[in-house]
């Protein structure tokens, strides 16, 4: 059995007064990051303070169990999602939800001489190969919808002479409209009540002998390279291969976000999102 030679990972809430809606887990042969989609209504039916946090935690629990099976990652994800939904439906005996909880996922697993991967939603996977090339595995469907909402926030901020982040509540209807496109070809695919969405994720495998290292993360952590553009993919991998940790990057990201707390220079829907990431070397 082959294992990761080096590994590290973390998860951290975006704000101290909010539940962390991300989850992270790794062993010597698999790793995953779950990014729960922030709720847009005040509805709450579970025994947690936050239904999305409950959904992410429960999906994590079932993924850990399902990953012990000798199945493809796609089958494992579908099995874990089915069990998560069965648990959630126990809270819905007398309640009807307008918006069902949902979550993005990025996962990798060593299977024989291959590295399997699976990602759905806007969680991201970066694979650096031994020939020096780097592959980004990301479904950009969510990004396109988010861009429209953020552009509207910028417009409202200019009209009202306020910070961009202060325009967040004014676009809630847009975000709800985007969420209504969940698991449709016109919108995006994500883990939620429709288990058929699993097949719309991005999945595949690469020979272990061709891979140098892998970074998987939620879109909250990915802000350091796609929004703030602090590092190139090449530079990030170079630093991770030396002595820089994911938490070092996370601390840098927090400083960048704090310096733009109004979200004016780098428009986004909140000052800081939950952050999660894993890094492995093979």
């Amino acid at each position: 059995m082959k294992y990761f030679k080096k590994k590290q990972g973390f998860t951290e809430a975006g704000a101290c007064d909010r539940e962390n809606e991300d989850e992270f887990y790794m062993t010597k042969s698999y790793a995953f990051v779950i990014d729960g989609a922030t709720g847009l209504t005040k509805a709450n039916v579970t025994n947690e303070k936050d239904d999305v946090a409950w959904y992410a935690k429960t999906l994590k629990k079932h993924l850990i169990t399902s990953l012990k099976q000798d199945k493809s990652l796609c089958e494992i994800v579908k099995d874990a999602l089915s069990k998560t939904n069965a648990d959630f439906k126990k809270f819905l005996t007398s309640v009807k939800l307008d918006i069902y909880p949902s979550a993005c996922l990025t996962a990798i697993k060593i299977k024989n001489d291959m590295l399997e991967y699976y990602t759905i939603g806007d969680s991201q996977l970066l694979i650096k190969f031994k020939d020096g090339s780097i592959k980004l595995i990301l479904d950009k469907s969510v990004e396109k919808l988010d861009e429209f909402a953020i552009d509207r926030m910028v417009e409202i901020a200019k009209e009202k002479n306020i910070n961009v982040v202060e325009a967040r509540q004014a676009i809630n209807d847009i975000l709800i409209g985007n969420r209504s496109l969940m698991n449709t070809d016109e919108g995006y695919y994500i883990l939620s009540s429709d288990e058929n969405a699993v097949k719309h994720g991005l999945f595949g495998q690469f020979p272990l002998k061709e891979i140098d290292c892998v970074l998987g993360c939620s879109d909250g952590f990915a802000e350091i390279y796609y929004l703030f553009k602090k590092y190139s993919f090449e530079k990030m991998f170079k630093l991770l291969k030396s002595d820089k940790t994911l938490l070092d990057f996370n601390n840098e990201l927090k400083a960048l976000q704090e310096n733009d707390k109004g979200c004016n220079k780098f428009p986004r829907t909140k000052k800081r999102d939950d952050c999660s990431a894993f890094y492995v070397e093979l």
Side-chain angles (χ1 to χ4, degrees):
M1 181 70 179
K2 293 182 171 62
Y3 301 113
F4 303 135
K5 293 176 182 176
K6 287 177 65 177
K7 61 184 178 70
Q8 58 169 299
F10 82 99
T11 185
E12 183 178 274
C16 59
D17 60 346
R18 284 204 328 263
E19 289 282 314
N20 187 356
E21 295 171 339
D22 280 10
E23 289 291 340
F24 147 79
Y25 192 79
M26 74 188 315
T27 68
K28 58 188 178 181
S29 61
Y30 66 80
F32 63 79
V33 160
I34 297 169
D35 179 4
T38 301
L40 299 175
T41 67
K42 294 181 180 180
N44 196 78
V45 299
T46 65
N47 51 11
E48 292 274 342
K49 293 180 181 178
D50 184 323
D51 284 351
V52 178
W54 179 95
Y55 200 77
K57 286 176 185 176
T58 307
L59 180 59
K60 172 185 176 179
K61 177 184 73 174
H62 289 306
L63 273 171
I64 291 170
T65 301
S66 297
L67 276 160
K68 297 173 184 176
Q69 302 173 31
D70 186 24
K71 294 181 178 180
S72 71
L73 257 183
C74 201
E75 292 173 306
I76 286 167
V77 171
K78 188 168 185 179
D79 180 62
L81 181 61
S82 176
K83 291 174 180 174
T84 300
N85 286 335
D87 287 347
F88 186 72
K89 286 172 184 174
K90 294 173 185 176
F91 296 106
L92 302 179
T93 52
S94 59
V95 181
K96 184 178 179 181
L97 285 180
D98 293 326
I99 302 177
Y100 202 93
S102 58
C104 307
L105 171 72
T106 287
I108 57 171
K109 180 185 181 184
I110 292 176
K111 188 173 183 181
N112 301 320
D113 292 322
M114 308 294 286
L115 182 77
E116 288 188 294
Y117 69 85
Y118 181 92
T119 184
I120 191 168
D122 58 3
S123 291
Q124 311 188 14
L125 192 66
L126 284 165
I127 301 177
K128 182 176 183 291
F129 295 91
K130 290 181 178 175
D131 65 4
S133 62
I134 297 173
K135 183 176 182 64
L136 170 65
I137 299 173
L138 167 66
D139 181 348
K140 296 188 176 182
S141 302
V142 178
E143 182 181 312
K144 293 174 184 176
L145 294 172
D146 284 346
E147 284 177 358
F148 175 78
I150 292 169
D151 286 346
R152 182 59 188 139
M153 283 178 67
V154 172
E155 290 173 359
I156 293 169
K158 287 179 180 177
E159 292 166 5
K160 297 187 175 183
N161 195 28
I162 58 176
N163 289 316
V164 170
V165 73
E166 295 175 273
R168 164 60 184 81
Q169 280 306 116
I171 62 144
N172 210 51
D173 286 348
I174 293 175
L175 296 178
I176 290 173
N178 289 348
R179 196 68 61 88
S180 71
L181 297 175
M182 180 197 311
N183 292 333
T184 67
D185 290 339
E186 296 75 27
Y188 62 98
Y189 286 92
I190 197 168
L191 301 182
S192 189
S193 59
D194 183 2
E195 291 154 26
N196 288 322
V198 173
K199 66 184 179 184
H200 292 279
L202 305 177
F203 53 92
Q205 58 184 5
F206 295 104
L208 290 175
K209 64 182 181 181
E210 295 179 4
I211 301 172
D212 183 15
C213 44
V214 180
L215 170 67
C217 63
S218 64
D219 66 325
F221 180 85
E223 282 188 5
I224 197 166
Y225 57 78
Y226 85 80
L227 179 63
F228 291 93
K229 302 190 186 306
K230 176 72 173 176
Y231 295 104
S232 65
F233 297 156
E234 291 80 5
K235 185 66 173 178
M236 283 193 73
F237 276 122
K238 183 178 180 180
L239 291 170
L240 284 165
K241 290 278 283 188
S242 57
D243 60 352
K244 200 174 183 78
T245 68
L246 291 172
L247 286 175
D248 291 332
F249 284 110
N250 186 50
N251 288 334
E252 285 189 59
L253 177 58
K254 284 192 281 188
L256 291 167
Q257 292 163 332
E258 188 62 31
N259 287 334
D260 183 40
K261 61 178 68 176
C263 303
N264 298 312
K265 188 175 180 181
F266 298 95
R268 52 202 190 278
T269 57
K270 62 186 79 167
K271 183 179 86 172
R272 176 170 168 78
D273 198 0
D274 300 333
C275 281
S276 302
F278 63 78
Y279 169 76
V280 302
E281 294 178 11
L282 292 111

